[in-house]
Amino acid sequence: MTEAPVHEDEAHGGGLGTRLNWLRAAVLGANDGVVSTAGLVVGVAGATESRAALLTAGLSGLLAGSMSMAAGEYVSVSSQRDSERAALAQERRELREQPEAELAELTDMLAARGLSPEVAREAAEQLTARDALRAHARVELGIDPDDLTNPWHAAGASFLAFTVGALLPLLAIVLPPASARLWITVLSVLAALVLTGWWSARLGDAPTGPAILRNVGGGALAMAVTYAAGSLLGAAGV
């Protein structure tokens, strides 16, 4: 009998999807930091060459963006966590009040996944005997009671990701000499967008070419629009 090959480099475990979602969110957060801050500082650069003005605008955009991302993620994930807790509380109540109906429901769900009725019933009974709430949470609700979403982790990750992304255009616009800062910023941002576009596509098992083109095109358009607006305002003396 030939044993099944073991793939030592293959990721397993129920937390893989969660880790990929966190990583994808970090990449997208960094991408937002790059694009939004680049658009801001390039727009200001179209109106003035003052390093102090560029630093003030870029730093303000970085702090406002990172705090906004963190607050939004905290509120969103807190609502999700509340929903998960409410669903678990309801499931716990149903298991206490109507255990037979819940056992039949679990059996039906396991059978719907391809098990025969007999095997599904036996599996449902074993899972219920071991931990009924965990079984229903995972099979029926798709929730791991031991690993509920954490709003503070989500907020911190969003804050950090946006800040890391925003630092690139901020440093690129304030460190080089005035004659080169615009092109250095544009090229640095486009290179970063190529990287984040490629990475996000790889995480989603999607073609990398279209993802990179969309990412770079959107970032280039944002910088072009804000630079044009800044130049017009600067020429008008605003």
Side-chain angles (χ1 to χ4, degrees):
M1 181 177 178
T2 304
E3 294 184 357
V6 177
H7 302 284
E8 296 181 353
D9 58 342
E10 184 177 351
H12 297 277
L16 176 60
T18 300
R19 291 194 296 271
L20 287 177
N21 286 335
W22 279 108
L23 187 55
R24 188 178 295 109
V27 173
L28 295 177
N31 191 79
D32 288 343
V34 171
V35 174
S36 61
T37 307
L40 178 62
V41 296
V42 167
V44 175
T48 178
E49 293 185 352
S50 169
R51 192 185 302 270
L54 292 169
L55 178 60
T56 300
L59 188 57
S60 298
L62 183 155
L63 292 174
S66 59
M67 292 300 296
S68 176
M69 288 280 290
E73 195 70 11
Y74 179 83
V75 171
S76 175
V77 176
S78 292
S79 298
Q80 179 183 345
R81 187 182 180 92
D82 291 343
S83 298
E84 292 174 344
R85 286 175 168 171
L88 289 173
Q90 179 178 348
E91 197 64 38
R92 189 179 292 108
R93 182 171 59 254
E94 291 175 350
L95 285 168
R96 183 175 61 253
E97 296 175 354
Q98 42 189 353
E100 287 301 322
E102 289 297 298
L103 178 60
E105 183 182 36
L106 182 59
T107 300
D108 291 341
M109 287 186 292
L110 292 174
R113 297 189 177 191
L115 298 180
S116 68
E118 296 78 12
V119 174
R121 178 72 181 191
E122 182 179 355
E125 290 175 348
Q126 291 184 13
L127 290 172
T128 299
R130 181 176 301 174
D131 192 322
L133 178 61
R134 180 173 284 103
H136 280 266
R138 290 178 173 173
V139 177
E140 180 180 350
L141 305 175
I143 298 174
D144 185 350
D146 299 323
D147 188 26
L148 297 182
T149 53
N150 189 313
W152 288 108
H153 290 172
S158 294
F159 181 91
L160 182 61
F162 188 96
T163 300
V164 170
L167 280 174
L168 173 66
L170 175 59
L171 296 176
I173 203 73
V174 299
L175 293 181
S179 59
R181 63 168 56 123
L182 181 61
W183 290 111
I184 290 177
T185 301
V186 170
L187 293 176
S188 299
V189 167
L190 294 181
L193 293 178
V194 169
L195 179 60
T196 56
W198 175 85
W199 200 355
S200 62
R202 293 289 294 173
L203 289 174
D205 291 326
T208 56
I212 291 173
L213 289 176
R214 288 193 299 266
N215 217 32
V216 172
L221 179 61
M223 289 187 289
V225 170
T226 56
Y227 182 77
S231 297
L232 290 175
L233 291 174
V238 177

